[in-house]
Amino acid sequence: MSKNIITVYLRGVIFLMINMINVSKVYPNGSKALTDITLRIEKGEFVFLVGPSGAGKSTLTKLIFREEQPTRGQLLFHGKNIARYKPREIPFLRRAIGVIFQDFKLLPNKTVSENVAFALEVIEASGREIKKSVPEALELVGLSNKADAMPAQLSGGEQQRVAIARAIVNNPPLVIADEPTGNLDPDTSWEIVHLLQEINKCGTTVLMATHAKEIVDGMRKRVIALEKGRVARDEERGAYGYED
Amino acid sequence: MLTVMRIRTIGYFVREALKSLNRNSWMVLASVGTVAVSLIIVGVSLITVMNATYLATRLESNVEIIAYMKTEVNEEEALALKKEINKIPGIAKLQFINKDQALQEFRRELGDQKNMVDALGGQNPLPHLFKISAIAPEDVEKVAGALEKMKQMEKVDYGKNVVDKLFAITKWVRLVGIVVIVLLGLAAVFLIATTIRLTVFARRKEIQIMKILGATDWFIRWPFLMEGIVLGFTGAIIAVVIVDLSYVTATDYVRENLNLGLFGLQTDPHFLMALGAAMLGVGTFIGALGSSISIRRFLKV
């Protein structure tokens, strides 16, 4: 037991959050989504993943929460090879990763707080935990007053904030956001990115795939650019670097 | 897989199962109905077979033999034969009934319908006959065999003959019952599988979200399994209520209105209880099987 705790702790200290070594992904239909990707993301980083449509951004995020598996190469999460996870361990990998999507993926027939609580229900958290954590998460995203509203009654930005609350309610060390501002106007997009920045400041690693040039340029964070499935650029305090 | 489940998790499964049952009400009706009908047939055939077996044991322990003589044998010849019959070992009682007595008895048995005898127009088609009691049930077959060898005998009736016929009938009841049960059982499994498939499709978005949020496979599967089990169990309860109520009504009716004496229906509460439990078990199994098929085929977790 104690050995286990130490191992987990040491993994957190010693190992990188994400370590990809020569990762390639070829889909069964033959299309090469990623080729020879090698990159390291450390704990606590805020990383933008940019690149034209079809460059492999979504595939890369899907590899991390094991919606897809690499065809070649190794992908280590906290130092553990993701390919080594047994099927029944995958849910526990996913509990360590909060995911945010462009289309929010909220359940339309549940209220805001029920949607957030759902993340804890499916991992069989206790009722006490749910009662405590859900209001905290809603507070953090600034939606305490909308707890009982239905998603359809909210604006796009508010819906995305519910999705963020759901992603972080069980305190995952990593948050992956796949084009979280794709459906939002510029002002709302900035609100969402600032929220992600807040979450990052609390120690959570954030990986955000995006097309939003202004935001990437304005934030001056690490930028990884993908082109045709390869890493074209990896810069600290980078810029979007494309005209599209 | 089934580690200790939290109470609230079980509550969640039941809620989800009931919610989706409410959504597909027509499919629910069809699958519950099919389970009920197939289990009613299971119940009825089991009751029939059980009653036949019960009747058979009572008939077999009946030591009475009736030997019908050929119609051309007259009364003197028959009485002469009586001495002959008395020599057969194992006979406790031997009674000669001439054909006029037999007709009288027949008329009495018919009761209200005795004018059927009058319609014969004074003719008596019945033969002379002997009523013989064996000392012990195991002697019956030997005695009957000796009687059958006598050339004056037309036919020798005793429990075993009737029992053989009864078993021939129950064999058919059982055979037809099994075929119908299997076919209806398959239909029930198929309908439940379809109902669950509809639920899986209606909730595929939710299932995808659950997976991303880190739900275990069994957490996702349980509500669907529960839904199938509820369908099967409900059908079984309907079948049990119908079969038990109608059987109790039938036995009451038989006891009060048909004076069958020896041939009454069996009323054993233990049997009815065991039958009910078996039907509930089978119904639950059908439900679990149907949903497992859909979960395996359509729930990619």
Side-chain angles (χ1 to χ4, degrees), chain A residues 147-199:
Chain A
D148 296 323
M150 301 306 279
Q153 298 169 297
L154 304 180
S155 69
E158 286 170 329
Q159 290 189 42
Q160 191 59 294
R161 281 194 273 161
V162 177
I164 291 171
R166 184 180 65 185
I168 58 155
V169 70
N170 71 331
N171 290 314
L174 172 66
V175 167
I176 295 175
D178 191 1
E179 312 237 12
T181 61
N183 285 351
L184 306 174
D185 61 66
D187 287 348
T188 317
S189 297
W190 271 112
E191 282 171 31
I192 295 298
V193 173
H194 284 142
L195 188 54
L196 288 173
Q197 196 178 15
E198 286 304 307
I199 291 162

Side-chain angles (χ1 to χ4, degrees), chain B residues 220-274:
Chain B
I220 297 173
R221 285 180 192 137
W222 261 109
F224 298 104
L225 198 59
M226 201 87 90
E227 191 180 336
I229 288 173
V230 168
L231 288 174
F233 192 75
T234 312
I237 284 183
I238 294 172
V240 168
V241 168
I242 289 178
V243 167
D244 278 8
L245 278 186
S246 37
Y247 187 61
V248 168
T249 316
T251 46
D252 283 353
Y253 178 81
V254 167
R255 195 174 330 107
E256 283 166 20
N257 298 308
L258 305 170
N259 191 12
L260 293 178
L262 193 64
F263 302 102
L265 295 172
Q266 193 186 16
T267 47
D268 180 1
H270 290 295
F271 171 75
L272 281 187
M273 240 137 71

Side-chain angles (χ1 to χ4, degrees), chain A residues 65 67 88 91-92 94-95 97 99 101 105-108 110 118-119 121-127 130 166, chain B residues 1 3-6 8-9 12-13 15-16 19 23 205-206 208-217 219:
Chain A
F65 61 93
E67 176 116 346
R88 65 185 164 81
F92 300 93
R94 291 186 179 154
R95 289 173 195 193
I97 303 170
V99 190
F101 299 92
K105 292 200 194 300
L106 299 176
L107 293 169
K110 287 185 190 286
F118 190 62
E121 269 167 9
V122 303
I123 65 172
E124 296 175 71
S126 70
I130 293 174
R166 184 180 65 185
Chain B
M1 284 294 154
T3 48
V4 185
M5 244 189 256
R6 285 178 187 278
R8 66 171 288 118
T9 303
Y12 165 84
F13 292 152
R15 267 203 316 281
E16 292 304 307
K19 239 191 269 174
R23 212 165 12 214
K205 204 179 149 194
E206 193 175 336
Q208 187 203 1
I209 293 169
M210 288 168 88
K211 281 194 273 183
I212 289 163
L213 293 174
T216 59
D217 293 352
F219 186 90

